[in-house]
Short mmCIF file of all heavy atoms in Angstrom, two decimals:
data_model
loop_
_atom_site.label_atom_id
_atom_site.label_comp_id
_atom_site.label_asym_id
_atom_site.label_seq_id
_atom_site.Cartn_x
_atom_site.Cartn_y
_atom_site.Cartn_z
N THR A 58 -1.58 25.40 -25.66
CA THR A 58 -0.94 25.18 -24.36
C THR A 58 -1.99 25.01 -23.26
O THR A 58 -1.77 24.31 -22.28
CB THR A 58 -0.05 26.37 -23.96
OG1 THR A 58 -0.78 27.54 -24.18
CG2 THR A 58 1.21 26.39 -24.81
N ASP A 59 -3.10 25.67 -23.39
CA ASP A 59 -4.16 25.55 -22.38
C ASP A 59 -5.37 24.93 -23.09
O ASP A 59 -5.97 25.54 -23.93
CB ASP A 59 -4.50 26.96 -21.87
CG ASP A 59 -5.55 26.86 -20.76
OD1 ASP A 59 -6.10 25.77 -20.54
OD2 ASP A 59 -5.82 27.89 -20.14
N ARG A 61 -8.22 24.67 -22.27
CA ARG A 61 -9.46 25.44 -22.15
C ARG A 61 -9.65 26.42 -23.32
O ARG A 61 -10.75 26.80 -23.66
CB ARG A 61 -9.48 26.21 -20.84
CG ARG A 61 -9.77 25.29 -19.64
CD ARG A 61 -9.61 26.06 -18.36
NE ARG A 61 -8.22 26.50 -18.25
CZ ARG A 61 -7.80 27.32 -17.29
NH1 ARG A 61 -8.63 27.82 -16.43
NH2 ARG A 61 -6.51 27.66 -17.22
N LEU A 62 -8.52 26.78 -23.87
CA LEU A 62 -8.58 27.69 -25.00
C LEU A 62 -9.29 27.02 -26.18
O LEU A 62 -10.01 27.70 -26.92
CB LEU A 62 -7.17 28.09 -25.42
CG LEU A 62 -7.02 29.11 -26.50
CD1 LEU A 62 -7.64 30.44 -26.11
CD2 LEU A 62 -5.56 29.32 -26.86
N SER A 71 -9.66 39.73 -32.75
CA SER A 71 -9.14 40.67 -33.72
C SER A 71 -7.86 40.06 -34.29
O SER A 71 -7.27 39.16 -33.71
CB SER A 71 -8.83 41.99 -33.04
OG SER A 71 -7.75 41.83 -32.16
N PHE A 73 -5.09 41.25 -34.23
CA PHE A 73 -4.03 41.49 -33.25
C PHE A 73 -3.96 40.32 -32.25
O PHE A 73 -2.91 39.77 -31.96
CB PHE A 73 -4.34 42.78 -32.51
CG PHE A 73 -3.42 43.03 -31.33
CD1 PHE A 73 -2.11 43.45 -31.53
CD2 PHE A 73 -3.88 42.81 -30.04
CE1 PHE A 73 -1.28 43.68 -30.43
CE2 PHE A 73 -3.04 43.03 -28.94
CZ PHE A 73 -1.75 43.47 -29.16
N ILE A 74 -5.13 39.92 -31.76
CA ILE A 74 -5.17 38.85 -30.76
C ILE A 74 -4.79 37.54 -31.39
O ILE A 74 -4.02 36.76 -30.84
CB ILE A 74 -6.56 38.81 -30.11
CG1 ILE A 74 -6.70 40.03 -29.18
CG2 ILE A 74 -6.71 37.53 -29.30
CD1 ILE A 74 -8.03 40.14 -28.52
N ALA A 77 -1.22 37.34 -31.71
CA ALA A 77 -0.48 37.13 -30.45
C ALA A 77 -0.62 35.68 -29.97
O ALA A 77 0.33 35.12 -29.43
CB ALA A 77 -1.04 38.07 -29.37
N LEU A 78 -1.79 35.11 -30.20
CA LEU A 78 -2.00 33.74 -29.74
C LEU A 78 -1.23 32.75 -30.61
O LEU A 78 -0.72 31.76 -30.14
CB LEU A 78 -3.48 33.40 -29.77
CG LEU A 78 -4.33 34.17 -28.75
CD1 LEU A 78 -5.79 33.75 -28.92
CD2 LEU A 78 -3.89 33.89 -27.33
N THR A 81 2.07 30.90 -29.73
CA THR A 81 2.35 30.93 -28.30
C THR A 81 1.37 30.07 -27.57
O THR A 81 1.69 28.95 -27.21
CB THR A 81 2.34 32.38 -27.79
OG1 THR A 81 1.13 33.00 -28.20
CG2 THR A 81 3.51 33.17 -28.34
N SER A 82 0.17 30.57 -27.43
CA SER A 82 -0.85 29.76 -26.76
C SER A 82 -1.34 28.67 -27.71
O SER A 82 -1.62 27.56 -27.31
CB SER A 82 -2.04 30.62 -26.35
OG SER A 82 -1.72 31.34 -25.21
N ARG C 170 4.08 49.75 -33.16
CA ARG C 170 3.27 48.54 -33.40
C ARG C 170 4.13 47.28 -33.33
O ARG C 170 3.68 46.26 -32.83
CB ARG C 170 2.55 48.67 -34.73
CG ARG C 170 1.57 47.51 -34.99
CD ARG C 170 0.54 47.46 -33.90
NE ARG C 170 -0.19 46.19 -33.91
CZ ARG C 170 -1.35 46.03 -34.54
NH1 ARG C 170 -1.94 47.01 -35.11
NH2 ARG C 170 -1.92 44.86 -34.55
N ALA C 177 2.84 41.44 -27.07
CA ALA C 177 1.67 40.58 -27.03
C ALA C 177 2.08 39.11 -27.09
O ALA C 177 1.57 38.25 -26.37
CB ALA C 177 0.73 40.92 -28.17
N ARG C 178 3.05 38.83 -27.95
CA ARG C 178 3.51 37.44 -28.05
C ARG C 178 4.21 37.00 -26.77
O ARG C 178 4.05 35.90 -26.29
CB ARG C 178 4.44 37.27 -29.25
CG ARG C 178 3.68 37.00 -30.54
CD ARG C 178 4.60 36.49 -31.60
NE ARG C 178 5.71 37.38 -31.88
CZ ARG C 178 5.62 38.43 -32.67
NH1 ARG C 178 4.47 38.68 -33.30
NH2 ARG C 178 6.64 39.23 -32.88
N ALA C 181 1.60 36.32 -24.32
CA ALA C 181 0.93 35.05 -24.65
C ALA C 181 1.77 33.89 -24.20
O ALA C 181 1.26 32.85 -23.74
CB ALA C 181 0.68 34.99 -26.15
N THR C 182 3.09 34.02 -24.27
CA THR C 182 3.97 32.96 -23.79
C THR C 182 3.93 32.86 -22.28
O THR C 182 3.78 31.77 -21.72
CB THR C 182 5.39 33.21 -24.26
OG1 THR C 182 5.38 33.53 -25.62
CG2 THR C 182 6.26 32.00 -24.02
N GLN C 185 0.55 31.42 -20.98
CA GLN C 185 0.01 30.38 -21.84
C GLN C 185 -0.82 29.35 -21.09
O GLN C 185 -1.67 28.69 -21.70
CB GLN C 185 1.14 29.69 -22.62
CG GLN C 185 2.17 29.08 -21.75
CD GLN C 185 3.28 28.43 -22.57
OE1 GLN C 185 3.90 27.52 -22.17
NE2 GLN C 185 3.50 28.96 -23.77
N SER C 186 -0.62 29.20 -19.80
CA SER C 186 -1.40 28.18 -19.12
C SER C 186 -2.65 28.79 -18.47
O SER C 186 -3.36 28.11 -17.76
CB SER C 186 -0.56 27.49 -18.08
OG SER C 186 0.08 28.45 -17.25
N HIS C 188 -5.51 30.92 -20.04
CA HIS C 188 -5.94 31.70 -21.20
C HIS C 188 -6.96 32.75 -20.88
O HIS C 188 -7.09 33.72 -21.59
CB HIS C 188 -6.36 30.75 -22.34
CG HIS C 188 -7.84 30.50 -22.41
ND1 HIS C 188 -8.46 29.62 -21.55
CD2 HIS C 188 -8.77 31.01 -23.22
CE1 HIS C 188 -9.73 29.60 -21.84
NE2 HIS C 188 -9.98 30.44 -22.84
N LEU C 191 -4.89 35.61 -20.02
CA LEU C 191 -4.25 36.03 -21.27
C LEU C 191 -5.20 36.86 -22.12
O LEU C 191 -4.83 37.95 -22.61
CB LEU C 191 -3.76 34.79 -22.05
CG LEU C 191 -3.23 35.05 -23.42
CD1 LEU C 191 -2.07 36.02 -23.39
CD2 LEU C 191 -2.81 33.74 -24.08
N TYR C 196 -7.18 41.59 -24.84
CA TYR C 196 -8.31 42.45 -25.20
C TYR C 196 -7.99 43.90 -24.80
O TYR C 196 -8.34 44.83 -25.48
CB TYR C 196 -9.62 42.02 -24.52
CG TYR C 196 -10.28 40.88 -25.23
CD1 TYR C 196 -10.68 39.72 -24.52
CD2 TYR C 196 -10.57 40.94 -26.59
CE1 TYR C 196 -11.30 38.66 -25.19
CE2 TYR C 196 -11.19 39.88 -27.25
CZ TYR C 196 -11.55 38.75 -26.54
OH TYR C 196 -12.15 37.72 -27.19
N ASP C 199 -5.28 45.50 -27.16
CA ASP C 199 -5.55 45.48 -28.58
C ASP C 199 -5.73 46.95 -29.09
O ASP C 199 -6.60 47.65 -28.63
CB ASP C 199 -6.86 44.72 -28.83
CG ASP C 199 -7.12 44.48 -30.29
OD1 ASP C 199 -6.48 45.18 -31.10
OD2 ASP C 199 -7.95 43.61 -30.61
#
Side-chain angles (χ1 to χ4, degrees):
Chain A
T58 48
D59 183 352
R61 284 172 298 172
L62 184 62
S71 68
F73 171 76
I74 288 177
L78 293 178
T81 51
S82 284
Chain C
R170 186 58 195 265
R178 274 195 303 277
T182 312
Q185 59 182 209
S186 52
H188 96 282
L191 173 58
Y196 279 128
D199 189 344

